Amino acid sequence: MASHEPVIGLEVHAQLLTRTKVFCSCSTAFGAPPNTHVCPVCLGLPGALPVLNGDAVTLAVRAALALGCAIRPTSRFARKNYFYPDLPKGYQISQFDEPFAEHGHVDLAERRVRILRVHMEEDAGKNLHGRGGDSIVDLNRAGTPLVEIVSEPDLRSAKEAAEYLRIVRDVLVFLAVNDGNLEEGSFRCDANVSIRPVGQEKLGTRVELKNINSFRFVEKAIEHEIARQEAVLAAGGRITQETRGWEEKSGTTFSLRSKEEAQDYRYFPDPDLPPLTIDEVFVAKVRAESPELPKDKRARFVDELHLTPYAADVMTQHPRVAAFFEEASMLHGDAVRIANFVQSEVLRDVTTHGLTAILPISPRQLADVLKLVDAGKISGKQAKEVYAKLKGTEKAAADVVAESGMAVVSDEKAIEALVRRIVDANPKQAESLKGGKTNLLGFFVGQVMKETKGSASPQVVNDVLKRVLGI
């Protein structure tokens, strides 16, 4: 329906990378046997009192500052009441009318998306459903600290929503606030989707798409929901405010429940937690100690290290890759050459999981490989062979070259004898080259390199060919 436009807002839920939960000392480690990381506090047993995790506050403020938010000097925790099996207390400790941060923004390629608020809360547990219809509840996740990042309804397409999510995820991962692991649920989002006539200011009836855990699914779910709402209106129906889930197998959204409003949750200030006070000294300290943001790192790579915007983007796809690139560049001195080799060879062998990454060689090994090329001791082709032999080892690049007998052949007499033999074997090409078809020079260079298995110095080969052929 070209006469309507989609209006989308996202609520991102990002777990904070603390060792313990937000109001107790239980571990936040992922993957433990069900219901082993629990205690009276996160189970909500009578008489148990919450104590706020200071590290969670630091990480939350770091995230909010990076998103351009203003930090409230005083905020308050509230009880959000609802009754689900994965919420053992019957309420969730969250922030309501007094969040700790608000009024930020995220810049996309074509628009600025405003952030309404960032607030702290505790995560719920997780329902595990069996094939036979049975279900169990794992409460290990209950009480894990997270921030909820609520955008204004400024997004206008599923593609923009996915772009926004990627930017927010990159920011949180580079800040070491969140591990960005969508598969494990530590980074997930809800999408509020509505449509309205083009030019109308009033928002349409919104539908919430719940807990979508991949960028691809977010885009597909929003696209489907927009199409579904358009079809309902085209048929003369009305959009019902509700919460819907996403089913990848069928590629459709499905109704979960009618959408609750704030009054349905019966918020009230948590009587067990005092107001959270965040002073300017604390905010300044967090700001000063925050890592470089990915957008700033990309800009620096372009302006100071002379990378192309594309290469800078590739080098910042993960914090460990960026750190590897920077260290190797410092050790070698030519960031562009390092970036080219990382793109062409190293990245195919990199595996990442959350904030961790396994890199095939060390920055020192990579820098030393390219230094050997610079010194004329190995060719560019041989550099790739040396890299392959270095993977997964602590060997020095020079030792691998010595062990493999990879020294570059720079003996002009030996190369000249080989060049004359190849020229004699290809008289037509030689005459064409002498006649001005300079592109044939590459043919002869290639033949020499083939005969020497890449060990001949390309510069020496070029010089000798030109002398022998008189060009």
Side-chain angles (χ1 to χ4, degrees), residues 269-286:
D270 192 303
D272 294 332
L273 288 164
L276 173 61
T277 301
I278 303 175
D279 61 32
E280 293 182 2
V281 174
F282 179 80
V283 172
K285 183 174 184 293
V286 172

Side-chain angles (χ1 to χ4, degrees), residues 15 21 26-39 42-43 84-88 123-129 134-144 184 188:
Q15 290 182 353
K21 295 183 181 181
C26 289
S27 171
T28 57
F30 179 83
N35 300 309
T36 55
H37 290 172
V38 294
C39 74
C42 54
L43 290 178
Y84 293 129
D86 57 3
L87 198 67
D123 211 341
K126 188 173 183 180
N127 296 322
L128 304 174
H129 305 292
D134 57 319
S135 297
I136 62 172
V137 181
D138 179 8
L139 296 175
N140 282 345
R141 194 175 71 179
T144 297
E184 294 178 2
R188 55 194 192 272

